[in-house]
Structures are given as C-alpha cells and as structure tokens.
Amino acid sequence: MANHTIVLPTDQSAAQKFEDLLWVPNQVFFLVLGDSPEREQFVNNIADMATDWRYIIWAKHPELVIPRLLTLPLRPGVLPLISPFPEDIVGLSISLNNYICRVVRTAHYNEAAQAFLLAETFMQP
Amino acid sequence: MIKPLLSICVLSVLFSCTSSRHVVATAPNNNSGTTARGPVLQLVEKDPGGHSVILNNSIRVVDPNSTLDIAINKKNLVASLPASATNPELTRRLNELKTVLEKEQDAMRNLGDALELFNAGNPNWTSKLSDLYPFVQTILDSPEGSKIYNELQRRQQTGRHILDDYAHLFHVAEVMVKRQEEKIIQEAKDKGSFIQLGVWIEGKNGARPVHVPGFDDYDPSPAYHVQQFLLVLTEEQKEAVLEMSRWSAKFNKNGLAATLKAQFQISKIMAATLNLPSVKHILSLNDTIQTLVNKSNNSLGGAKDALFGLRDELETYTAYLRAKFSRYSQAEYEAHPGDILLSINSDVVDVKFKTEQLTNGFQTKITAIQTNLLSVQKDVRKTVSSLPSLLTSIASRANYEVDSLFNIAVRALQTLKNGEAYRASMYEFTERVKKLSLDNLPDTASLDLESTGTRDIGDKLTLRLVAGQTGTAVQDIEVRKYYLYFCSPYVRTAVGFLFTDPVPLGQHEEGKSLFHYAPSYSILLKGFWKKPEAARQSLSYHRLYSPGIGLNIASIDFNSDGAMEVGLGGVFTIFNDFLQIGYGCNMFDGKGYSFLGLRLPVGAFTIQ
C-alpha cells in the first residue's frame, strides 16, 4: 500500500488524527468510509491514483469522523450531509480548503477519480 | 530527482497524444467565421494557374476566373444553428462542451505546470490547477458526463493516474459532444428545419444569384472568362475619351477657368434642397406664422390652436432640415465619396418622408383655419385667410420637388459602383434554392466562377448560408464576401484627362497658358506590386490604390494649329487610375512634356 494511503486508528484518536490531516497543506483527500472486505478491496484498487497531492484516508470506523464531516463546507452542487449520516456513502473527496467536493456511493475506481478531479481543482474560498 | 524527470517524460508523451487529438477536435479556425464555434463554410480557391488557397479569415479577394471548393463543416454547422432551427438549450450545451475540448491543450499544459510546481515545492501549483475547474465541473457535474466517465473504458494508461484521469475527462467531453450533435440533428429534423446556401455576384448592374451544384436548381450561366490582359478600350472608355476630347478642345481654346463650370452634382444635391422653392416657402411661412402667433396671441380666435400647431410643426421641420444639412454646408467632406452618396440618399429619403408627413397634416389645419376665420380679429384676418391656399400650394409643390430631388439622388446612387454596404434584400433566396435538411446536405460543392456569367474585376462574390423553418424567416449562419480581382500581373486600359506641360515643370512660356489639356489613354500593367498572398488580403490595394505603370498615349495640340499630334509616354497611376503622372514625348516635334492626368468621372460633370 502506497504511503499516500492513511489508515485512521480505530479508537477515539481517529478524530484527532483526521483533524490533524485536515490542516496539513498541499493535500487533497479521498476518504473511504467503512470496514469490510469490499472496502479494503476498494482502497487497494484506488491506491495507485494517490500520488502527488492526492491522499487516501481510510476511516474504518466512520462514526469517529462523521461529526467532523458534518461541519465541513460543501462545494456548490453537493447535497447537504445531515445526521444520521447515510450508510450508503462509500467515500468522499475533500479539497485543499476542506470543502467536501463529491460524495461517492459506488465503490468504483472511476468514481474515486472523479471525486479527486473535483476536489483538487476546486480552490474556493 | 527522478520523479520530476519522469513526470516531464510522461507529460511530453501525453501532450503528443492529446495535442494531435486537439487539432482534430477544434478544427483549424483559420477561415472567416461569423461564430466563435468555428467556420461552417470552408472554402478553397483554385486559381487558373492551379494554385490552391484556403480562404481564411484574412482573405478578401479571389481571382475572377477561379474555382471555389466549398465544404460544409457539419459539426460547426450544428453548433451554429440558430435558436429557431433547433432547441437552443441543446446548442448552448454543445458549445459549452466544445469549449472544453478546445481548451484541452491549455488545460493539460496547466496540469503539467501544476505538477512541476508541486514537485518543486512551489505553492503556485494550486492556481494552475484551479484553472481546470470549469472544465471538470462542466463534465462531471452533469449526470450524463459522470455516467460516461464511469462507463468509458480508459483508452490509454500512462502509468501516471492524475494525467490519465484528465485525459479520460477530455475523452468523455468528445463523446458528449458527439451525442449532443446527434440530439441536435434529430431535434432539427423533428422541427422541419432546413439549410440553404446561396451565392451571388454583384456588379455594376446589381446582384444576381449564381448556380452552386447540389444547392439550387439554377442553370449555369454561359462560360465567361475575365480577360487578364486587356489591351483595348471598353465602349465606356471610348465614350469617355470622346467626351474628354471635347473638353480639352474647349479648355485649350478658352482657358480652363472660363470654360469649366463643372459641378460635382452629388455634393450639391443637399445644398439644393434648402433652395427648393417649396422649402424656401416653408421656411418663410414659418417666419410668417411665428410673427402672427407672437403678435396676435389673443386675436386669433378659434384658429389659435391650428396656428399654434402649425407653428410647432413648421419649427420642428425647419430645425430638422437645418440640422440634417448643416454638415453638407461644409466646403469639404472627409468621408469617402461613396459614403457621402449613400448618406445623401438616406437623408433624401428621410426628407421625403418628413415633408410628406408635414404636408399631410396641412389639410386639418386648413379646415380648422377656414372654419374659425370669422373669430379671428380683423387686423390679422387677411393674413390668416391667405394661409389655406398657401398651404395647399406648398403641399403639392413640396412633394413634387422633393420627389424630383429623390429621383436625382437615386440616379446619383446608381452611378456608385461596388457599394460597400451589405444590402440583405439583394441576397434573398428564391424558390429555386433548395431547402436541405441536415442529413441530406451535401458535404461539398464546387463553384466554377467561369460558369457564373459576365463579371468584371471589382465585382463582389457573396456566399450566404442560412437556416430556417417553413413559414419563418431564415437566419444567417455565415455570410462570406469576396471581391474579384487578379492577384497576379494583369493589364488594363485607363482613360485620363491630361494636364500636360510642354516646358520644364512650373515654368511659363510667354503668351501660353500653363497647361495644355489633352485626352489620353494608358495601357497599364497592374497587380505586380504585392505578392499574390498579400494581394489577396488587402482590399485597399485593389479598391483604393490599385497602382499601375505603363504606356500613355495622348492626343495633343501643342502648337495650337488645330491639327492633333500624338504624344507617347510612360505613366504611373494610383488610386484606381484617378491620378496619373508621367513624362511623354510629342512624336511630331520631338518635344518632351510632363503630365498629370485625372480619370474624371465624365457623367458627374456638366460643362456649360
């Protein structure tokens, strides 16, 4: 697994780790949510696209990062995320300025690619 | 160090792939087009020498004997369809997508720059990348684009996925453009839209449609070849020489100033307007009414309203006339004579309308004045009572005179050759031009100008491509205009009225006038001052300067014995031969002379 893939801890420290990552400059994220063989497969599949400014974060326990996700601003056109957090969300991309740019519901390589494209080019505010 | 180098290598490979696709996608925008979507008509001229020239945006001139290969770029046509021919929203979206494709190369360059800057630790990489957002958004924010992105197989693996992702994005844009075009074609078909292509040649006698194979049912005109090397005078030129011969005889006999009362009639037309008797009457009537109204405000009885109304109308009319023609009172006009003529024509039409409007209103005033005459006080009644007959007389006379003036202006306008103005009414489609649907529109046509009938250099060739629906007016998609001129050396004759000076320049001979006047003609070599490529691009070279050099032959009478002598000399001409200068030799006595010649518009002068 490339060093651009970060697996969050499964304990309470995950929230802090995630928070710390949000403040690292020059990094665009695709956050994968959930812990299942399919998710692991997905993370492995998309790992090769995480180069340069692109990073993959794998939150095996989504509930540890969801409270923070709900506070992040959304790119125009992205439907609002409300609690309870929809379970069908596979992952989402986060821009340099911590905007959620694309929410992905299918564990498809090209879906993640699209999410990265939107997140890395969206520079607002 | 390896990473940046690798990225440069990969980038160059990718650029080589994407740039070749880019050229296909955007089509060279080197033809003149009326839209930002690229030209629909793509024209290639084949001149009689076998040379091919792409008629791009900068070309204004074509050879009068050439063949034009016309190709219709259907992709650009679909993108340029007017709202009436299809669903405007579909066209808008298509053009949005095409813009993405057109920017592909720039976008990939920005991406490459962003990677370089990022790897170098330069924070400016983000601004390079943000330039790509509009394209990413246009494609991926649409459900269709996102779906195609997922469905399309990645056609190229570069081993570097950021680049690959963007290459894939532009591939998606290509597919979307194709699908959008298909939708538009279907929509246009469902709406019964059609395309028409018409071509006209406009010369001295107006515009006439010409046959374009596949696009109309006109018959081809008899073959006509415009002579490139014309050494003989035309009938018109022969008449001009005769007329100038008469002028020179009079000038040489009586002197120029005493003989020539030439008036350039066109520039006098407007001045004449203010001197028309009826217009003078209107101006003086205005003064009369003004005095009447000022003096007898309370003594006009029931005629007051009519007189006040008349005063206001006359004031408006006279103010309009004075304003309209103030510029014609200037001694010299800065505008081109052709422009002045068009402007005069337009002003005369306007005056005609305003005068009719004014005089049509007289009848109501006449009735009101007559009805209320008894209520007018005695001291002004006589003046008021004379007004109705005066108004009637002015009304009929003014309309007659302005009509005559209008006819003069129209005739003057007809003398203007090759007017610049695009008069759409001259390029109307007849029933013989086919209405073609998008799916049976021919891709190409060949227009042999030699099959378009009689024409001459300076004529205008107009191609008009329109779209429409049954029952609605057609809308232009693209209009191209070219002038017919030779762009390689050619020979023409020119008639000139010479001011010859048989002694060294500027000197007087005792008892002789400064100049001898003589009719002449020149055989001129033209078209070699610029290379063919440059000559095709410069309209002023042909229409304004058109320089020539050649041989001048003059009929002179230096010894004033009434027997004409022949002068032969070299001449340089400029401004379409309006100005001719040169040096010649009297073949009878061997005397040299310098000369200045003018190509006078014979019909525009009167000699009394």
Side-chain angles (χ1 to χ4, degrees):
Chain A
M1 197 167 287
N3 61 0
H4 276 228
T5 300
I6 302 157
V7 183
L8 292 181
T10 52
D11 58 17
Q12 291 302 321
S13 66
Q16 187 55 50
K17 174 71 177 169
F18 180 57
E19 184 65 25
D20 293 344
L21 286 170
L22 290 179
W23 291 101
V24 176
N26 292 335
Q27 292 188 0
V28 175
F29 301 113
F30 184 74
L31 174 67
V32 180
L33 301 170
D35 185 14
S36 66
E38 292 77 23
R39 289 290 188 276
E40 186 173 7
Q41 181 65 41
F42 183 45
V43 171
N44 287 331
N45 279 348
I46 64 175
D48 63 354
M49 75 171 74
T51 58
D52 301 289
W53 49 77
R54 291 179 174 182
Y55 285 79
I56 294 166
I57 304 173
W58 184 11
K60 291 182 176 178
H61 290 191
E63 67 280 5
L64 299 173
V65 295
I66 282 172
R68 181 68 176 108
L69 288 178
L70 292 173
T71 68
L72 294 180
L74 306 170
R75 186 181 71 87
V78 176
L79 292 175
L81 297 170
I82 49 171
S83 190
F85 202 81
E87 288 183 2
D88 63 340
I89 292 177
V90 171
L92 46 83
S93 60
I94 300 170
S95 73
L96 283 178
N97 295 310
N98 294 339
Y99 274 67
I100 294 178
C101 291
R102 172 60 69 93
V103 176
V104 172
R105 289 182 158 82
T106 312
H108 190 293
Y109 183 91
N110 280 347
E111 288 280 4
Q114 291 183 51
F116 264 131
L117 289 172
L118 286 163
E120 67 201 9
T121 54
F122 182 73
M123 298 294 176
Q124 284 181 19
Chain B
M1 285 301 288
I2 293 172
K3 198 172 175 185
L5 279 174
L6 179 65
S7 110
I8 290 168
C9 293
V10 173
L11 271 175
S12 41
V13 169
L14 188 62
F15 281 155
S16 65
C17 299
T18 55
S19 61
S20 63
R21 185 150 57 86
H22 175 78
V23 170
V24 174
T26 57
N29 191 11
N30 55 1
N31 279 337
S32 92
T34 53
T35 73
R37 267 68 74 183
V40 178
L41 291 173
Q42 292 176 329
L43 307 176
V44 176
E45 179 200 349
K46 288 181 181 161
D47 71 18
H51 304 107
S52 292
V53 180
I54 296 172
L55 299 187
N56 62 30
N57 204 20
S58 60
I59 302 288
R60 312 286 305 279
V61 173
V62 295
D63 187 292
N65 296 319
S66 60
T67 298
L68 299 186
D69 287 340
I70 304 170
I72 294 185
N73 183 321
K74 286 193 180 169
K75 284 178 183 293
N76 288 344
L77 170 62
V78 169
S80 305
L81 284 175
S84 60
T86 182
N87 180 340
E89 181 51 33
L90 291 177
T91 316
R92 187 201 63 74
R93 177 66 176 157
L94 173 64
N95 287 313
E96 193 177 49
L97 293 168
K98 287 185 83 169
T99 304
V100 172
L101 279 184
E102 284 163 11
K103 300 285 183 186
E104 178 180 355
Q105 204 165 18
D106 292 340
M108 295 308 283
R109 190 176 296 114
N110 275 340
L111 176 62
D113 290 346
L115 284 164
E116 291 295 317
L117 292 169
F118 178 83
N119 288 326
N122 186 328
N124 291 333
W125 69 274
T126 55
S127 66
K128 289 284 179 187
L129 210 52
S130 69
D131 289 343
L132 278 72
Y133 180 67
F135 312 128
V136 175
Q137 186 193 27
T138 300
I139 305 299
L140 298 184
D141 268 355
S142 95
E144 185 198 15
S146 184
K147 192 175 167 202
I148 296 173
Y149 193 101
N150 285 338
E151 288 172 358
L152 272 186
Q153 191 169 358
R154 290 178 176 239
R155 59 184 178 184
Q156 178 181 310
Q157 294 291 335
T158 62
R160 187 170 180 87
H161 290 279
I162 289 182
L163 295 167
D164 184 40
D165 290 343
Y166 284 90
H168 192 66
L169 182 83
F170 287 108
H171 184 199
V172 170
E174 263 185 73
V175 173
M176 290 176 80
V177 163
K178 277 182 196 156
R179 292 188 185 177
Q180 200 71 9
E181 284 170 349
E182 285 163 10
K183 278 185 205 169
I184 291 172
I185 290 170
Q186 188 57 47
E187 176 83 13
K189 202 172 172 181
D190 294 345
K191 289 181 86 171
S193 300
F194 59 80
I195 304 294
Q196 287 180 295
L197 174 69
V199 178
W200 291 261
I201 291 217
E202 185 184 350
K204 280 186 238 175
N205 301 318
R208 64 174 195 283
V210 298
H211 172 57
V212 188
F215 285 88
D216 57 61
D217 296 325
Y218 290 122
D219 296 323
S221 302
Y224 181 88
H225 184 83
V226 181
Q227 289 296 323
Q228 188 152 3
F229 298 95
L230 195 61
L231 299 165
V232 293
L233 293 177
T234 63
E235 288 305 314
E236 199 179 337
Q237 286 177 322
K238 284 177 191 167
E239 280 180 27
V241 169
L242 288 175
E243 179 68 6
M244 285 177 189
S245 179
R246 284 192 285 273
W247 293 1
S248 57
K250 284 189 180 184
F251 295 167
N252 286 326
K253 188 178 170 191
N254 304 327
L256 181 68
T259 310
L260 182 63
K261 288 187 179 174
Q263 286 182 323
F264 190 48
Q265 293 182 346
I266 294 160
S267 64
K268 299 290 182 188
I269 288 175
M270 286 302 106
T273 305
L274 287 174
N275 287 320
L276 286 176
S278 54
V279 172
K280 277 187 168 173
H281 270 126
I282 290 174
L283 298 177
S284 103
L285 178 67
N286 185 32
D287 293 341
T288 309
I289 303 279
Q290 187 64 52
T291 313
L292 203 58
V293 168
N294 289 345
K295 198 169 100 182
S296 330
N297 198 4
N298 297 318
S299 56
L300 298 172
K304 184 181 165 186
D305 286 348
L307 287 168
F308 269 67
L310 190 59
R311 179 197 62 177
D312 293 346
E313 284 172 14
L314 286 170
E315 270 184 4
T316 309
Y317 179 78
T318 50
Y320 156 79
L321 268 190
R322 290 186 200 284
K324 178 67 90 181
F325 300 133
S326 61
R327 61 194 162 115
Y328 293 107
S329 62
Q330 294 163 13
E332 291 177 2
Y333 308 119
E334 287 183 4
H336 183 275
D339 294 336
I340 294 171
L341 202 50
L342 287 170
S343 159
I344 288 171
N345 181 256
S346 152
D347 283 346
V348 169
V349 171
D350 204 28
V351 168
K352 187 171 183 291
F353 173 72
K354 284 280 197 311
T355 308
E356 279 170 2
Q357 206 178 30
L358 174 78
T359 53
N360 286 345
F362 280 179
Q363 191 51 50
T364 1
K365 306 288 185 309
I366 290 169
T367 313
I369 291 168
Q370 282 172 336
T371 312
N372 297 292
L373 198 56
L374 287 176
S375 66
V376 177
Q377 281 187 12
K378 280 185 182 171
D379 58 331
V380 290
R381 191 180 296 164
K382 192 178 171 191
T383 314
V384 174
S385 67
S386 67
L387 287 174
S389 61
L390 189 57
L391 288 174
T392 309
S393 141
I394 286 175
S396 63
R397 186 160 181 161
N399 284 323
Y400 168 76
E401 288 182 350
V402 175
D403 266 349
S404 306
L405 188 66
F406 175 70
N407 290 332
I408 291 170
V410 168
R411 279 200 300 276
L413 189 66
Q414 284 166 349
T415 66
L416 179 67
K417 293 174 184 177
N418 307 315
E420 278 287 343
Y422 168 60
R423 294 178 289 280
S425 60
M426 294 177 72
Y427 306 108
E428 290 301 338
F429 289 89
T430 68
E431 288 301 314
R432 301 179 74 176
V433 181
K434 292 177 183 172
K435 293 177 174 175
L436 301 157
S437 64
L438 278 168
D439 49 355
N440 66 11
L441 189 67
D443 292 323
T444 58
S446 183
L447 173 62
D448 180 0
L449 291 183
E450 290 205 2
S451 72
T452 61
T454 312
R455 65 207 176 283
D456 199 359
I457 57 173
D459 286 0
K460 188 159 71 173
L461 176 76
T462 300
L463 296 93
R464 188 179 177 211
L465 187 77
V466 299
Q469 279 179 279
T470 310
T472 60
V474 295
Q475 288 189 35
D476 285 334
I477 294 176
E478 200 166 316
V479 177
R480 301 277 196 99
K481 286 178 274 184
Y482 300 99
Y483 285 87
L484 306 182
Y485 285 102
F486 291 112
C487 294
S488 51
Y490 64 99
V491 172
R492 279 293 179 274
T493 51
V495 171
F497 186 75
L498 295 196
F499 296 71
T500 67
D501 188 357
V503 291
L505 275 177
Q507 286 186 16
H508 278 284
E509 243 178 25
E510 200 59 39
K512 288 270 185 185
S513 60
L514 181 59
F515 291 116
H516 281 270
Y517 308 102
S520 79
Y521 75 92
S522 304
I523 299 169
L524 300 166
L525 179 65
K526 299 178 150 226
F528 64 93
W529 305 87
K530 278 181 184 274
K531 288 182 178 172
E533 300 78 28
R536 284 171 194 283
Q537 297 173 14
S538 172
L539 208 50
S540 59
Y541 168 64
H542 299 281
R543 292 177 63 78
L544 180 61
Y545 302 115
S546 185
I549 58 168
L551 188 68
N552 177 269
I553 300 152
S555 176
I556 49 182
D557 182 15
F558 284 168
N559 53 17
S560 306
D561 63 355
M564 301 312 286
E565 299 133 30
V566 174
L568 205 61
V571 63
F572 169 77
T573 70
I574 188 95
F575 302 124
N576 251 322
D577 312 328
F578 273 105
L579 185 63
Q580 309 166 8
I581 49 176
Y583 194 84
C585 177
N586 185 329
M587 302 306 287
F588 282 58
D589 62 12
K591 265 190 180 177
Y593 61 93
S594 53
F595 63 84
L596 170 79
L598 297 174
R599 197 189 85 186
L600 297 178
V602 171
F605 283 78
T606 52
I607 302 172
Q608 295 173 347

